[in-house]
């Protein structure tokens, strides 16, 4: 195995692929990247057994071959080599030698035969989506995923494809986030998969690199996202996602239109004196205003009133303030629409101009 490559064209791909590699692995081979010269190109592969990421890099290849080397050490070395420098790689007696200018190093290797191969299953559905829109779909939803919940199927995101839409849904049992991409002719057959939390976070990190459109392959055990430069694959969560349509309230009669930034800043200020454990905040809704109030076991209190567009009955309701803040942080519009029914029913938060995103927050008793 012998090849040369420009440092600048190698560094970013190594950084991306190394992102899926866990630093602390019981199996040493999982701390390594698989390097393989194929058809004059360098194929770089990283995996943690649940996620696999591959990319091709243009190189000047002299000898084909394959080997695995420590991901973190390889990246750190390449990072410290000067910009626009050329790096020569050669495999000698189970050591990978790197040369660049006056710098020389040798990295330990492990046999490529020991590197785990990802389970390849035939896709039963393939759809295309714009990479930026797909990332937006994940960004607007991922904050509502559960983290280390015993209901393992909540520790991830539902990705659903149907006729003319691609949808992402996440919930931790207390709130729900839903995003849609409306796209003509995606597919007529509906399919649902649950993507693990780590895979969602890695996709959010990877998608800005891709640009253009990506192919999304749904299969029985895996989800794949393919572009011209990267192939991302993840195993799926084996479970039944809750029927999210039943969680969305249909009987909201009180509609509030508020300035997003004004409401967010008022929540930030008031929440400082909320109970640190439960993070509860009370909303008193009356004609043309919302009064926010919070208190804590130290008998400290905070309250603030903001003007809103609302005419109707008075309502008092409590929420975990963090859930409201998370929604307001991802709404892009200057205004936010809040739909309520009573003090025991969940609230719907939406962008008033776009029906692409919808958020449900359960109330809490204060």
């Amino acid at each position: 195995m012998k090849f040369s490559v420009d440092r600048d064209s190698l560094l970013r791909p190594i950084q991306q692929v190394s992102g899926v590699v866990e630093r602390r692995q019981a199996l040493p081979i999982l701390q390594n990247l698989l390097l393989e010269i194929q058809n004059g190109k360098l194929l770089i592969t990283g995996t943690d057994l649940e996620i696999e990421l591959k990319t091709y890099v243009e190189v000047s290849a002299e000898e084909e071959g394959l080997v695995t080397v420590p991901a973190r050490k390889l990246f750190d070395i390449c990072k410290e080599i000067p910009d626009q420098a050329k790096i020569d790689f050669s495999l000698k007696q189970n050591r990978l030698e790197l040369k660049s200018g006056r710098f020389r190093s040798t990295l330990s290797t492990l046999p490529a035969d020991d590197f785990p191969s990802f389970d390849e299953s035939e896709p039963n559905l393939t759809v295309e989506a714009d990479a930026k829109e797909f990332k937006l779909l994940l960004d607007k939803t991922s904050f509502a995923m559960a983290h280390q919940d015993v209901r393992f199927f909540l520790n991830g995101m539902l990705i659903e494809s149907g006729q003319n839409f691609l949808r992402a849904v996440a919930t931790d049992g207390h709130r729900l986030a839903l995003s849609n991409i409306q796209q003509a002719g995606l597919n007529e057959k509906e399919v649902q998969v649950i993507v693990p939390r780590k895979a969602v976070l890695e996709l959010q990190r990877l998608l800005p690199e891709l640009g253009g459109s990506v192919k999304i392959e749904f299969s029985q055990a895996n989800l794949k996202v393919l572009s011209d430069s990267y192939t991302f694959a993840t195993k799926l969560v084996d479970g039944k996602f809750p029927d999210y349509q039943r969680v969305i309230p249909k009987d909201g009669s009180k509609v509030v239109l508020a300035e997003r930034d004004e409401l967010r800043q008022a929540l930030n200020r008031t929440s400082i004196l909320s109970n640190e454990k439960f993070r509860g905040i009370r909303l008193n809704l009356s004609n043309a205003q919302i009064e926010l109030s919070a208190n804590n076991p130290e008998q400290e209190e905070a309250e603030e009133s903001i003007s809103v567009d609302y005419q109707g009955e008075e309502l008092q309701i409590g929420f975990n303030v963090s859930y409201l803040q998370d929604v307001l942080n991802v709404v892009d519009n200057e205004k936010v629409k809040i739909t309520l029914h009573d003090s025991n029913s969940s609230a719907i938060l939406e962008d008033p101009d776009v029906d692409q995103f919808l958020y449900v927050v359960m109330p809490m008793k204060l």
Side-chain angles (χ1 to χ4, degrees):
M1 184 179 193
K2 194 172 184 180
F3 64 94
S4 301
V5 61
D6 292 331
R7 178 261 191 193
D8 295 353
S9 62
L10 181 64
L11 185 64
R12 190 62 181 161
I14 288 179
Q15 184 179 21
Q16 284 292 343
V17 177
S18 297
V20 306
V21 177
E22 296 283 357
R23 292 197 185 190
R24 296 179 181 178
Q25 281 282 6
L27 295 173
I29 193 76
L30 294 179
Q31 299 177 20
N32 283 17
L33 296 178
L34 176 66
L35 307 182
E36 181 177 2
I37 297 295
Q38 274 188 3
N39 303 320
K41 293 182 179 180
L42 172 65
L43 173 63
I44 307 172
T45 306
T47 184
D48 66 352
L49 296 181
E50 299 297 321
I51 300 171
E52 181 185 77
L53 183 58
K54 296 181 177 183
T55 186
Y56 281 100
V57 178
E58 294 286 346
V59 298
S60 299
E62 293 184 37
E63 293 178 14
E64 292 194 345
L66 66 166
V67 72
T68 79
V69 294
R72 181 53 51 183
K73 291 176 182 176
L74 178 62
F75 171 68
D76 287 343
I77 289 172
C78 293
K79 184 174 65 173
E80 297 302 329
I81 289 174
D83 295 352
Q84 300 177 343
K86 180 182 174 185
I87 309 175
D88 297 318
F89 290 81
S90 59
L91 185 61
K92 297 180 178 178
Q93 296 178 342
N94 297 326
R95 297 274 169 176
L96 187 65
E97 183 180 80
L98 286 78
K99 288 183 179 179
S100 182
R102 297 181 180 180
F103 173 76
R104 174 185 169 275
S105 68
T106 57
L107 282 172
S108 63
T109 67
L110 290 172
D113 291 345
D114 295 341
F115 196 80
S117 58
F118 213 70
D119 177 35
E120 295 286 341
S121 52
E122 284 295 316
N124 49 39
L125 178 68
T126 301
V127 301
E128 284 201 24
D130 181 81
K132 288 183 178 179
E133 287 193 358
F134 189 36
K135 181 177 187 304
L136 185 66
L137 195 77
L138 304 182
D139 290 347
K140 299 291 187 181
T141 314
S142 59
F143 68 88
M145 292 187 295
H147 186 53
Q148 296 182 335
D149 197 296
V150 292
R151 298 163 294 180
F152 59 92
F153 49 83
L154 298 184
N155 300 319
M157 181 183 292
L158 179 76
I159 304 291
E160 181 179 18
S161 180
Q163 188 171 14
N164 300 332
F165 75 86
L166 185 66
R167 180 175 298 148
V169 186
T171 179
D172 61 5
H174 303 285
R175 49 161 172 197
L176 179 140
L178 183 150
S179 302
N180 283 302
I181 296 176
Q182 295 295 334
Q183 191 169 322
L186 266 176
N187 66 288
E188 295 184 2
K189 182 173 66 172
E190 288 198 10
V191 62
Q192 290 186 342
V193 297
I194 305 175
V195 179
R197 179 187 180 88
K198 182 185 175 183
V200 172
L201 301 180
E202 286 299 328
L203 269 175
Q204 288 176 282
R205 192 174 62 86
L206 175 66
L207 284 167
E209 299 287 318
L210 306 186
S213 65
V214 295
K215 283 185 179 179
I216 306 169
E217 291 184 354
F218 296 83
S219 66
Q220 197 67 33
N222 301 330
L223 179 84
K224 276 190 177 182
V225 179
L226 303 95
S227 73
D228 293 338
S229 50
Y230 288 90
T231 299
F232 176 94
T234 176
K235 292 182 179 178
L236 301 174
V237 177
D238 184 15
K240 175 78 173 166
F241 200 80
D243 183 358
Y244 61 87
Q245 295 288 1
R246 293 179 59 186
V247 177
I248 302 171
K250 306 292 193 293
D251 55 357
S253 55
K254 300 173 178 62
V255 179
V256 181
L257 209 59
E259 295 288 338
R260 180 182 63 100
D261 281 343
E262 185 182 7
L263 178 58
R264 181 172 59 181
Q265 290 164 11
L267 287 171
N268 292 347
R269 287 187 290 267
T270 310
S271 66
I272 293 169
L273 297 183
S274 66
N275 186 306
E276 291 184 6
K277 184 177 181 181
F278 300 108
R279 301 284 289 157
I281 194 164
R282 183 176 287 106
L283 278 65
N284 288 298
L285 181 62
S286 59
N287 278 338
Q289 77 166 20
I290 291 179
E291 183 181 281
L292 311 172
S293 60
N295 54 56
N296 59 33
E298 287 78 38
Q299 306 299 315
E300 297 168 324
E301 298 178 346
E303 59 182 44
E304 181 170 352
S305 295
I306 63 169
S307 299
V308 296
D309 182 357
Y310 173 73
Q311 301 294 325
E313 298 177 5
E314 293 189 6
L315 175 66
Q316 185 178 104
I317 189 169
F319 291 106
N320 181 316
V321 68
S322 298
Y323 297 163
L324 298 178
Q325 290 169 319
D326 286 343
V327 172
L328 295 177
N329 285 336
V330 298
V331 173
D332 294 325
N333 201 313
E334 294 179 356
K335 294 186 180 292
V336 61
K337 177 183 171 185
I338 307 171
T339 305
L340 301 154
H341 179 61
D342 58 33
S343 59
N344 298 314
S345 301
S346 297
I348 296 178
L349 288 83
E350 300 170 274
D351 184 324
D353 297 332
V354 180
D355 61 1
Q356 190 177 358
F357 314 111
L358 181 144
Y359 306 98
V360 178
V361 180
M362 288 178 62
M364 64 185 297
K365 292 189 182 296
L366 297 175

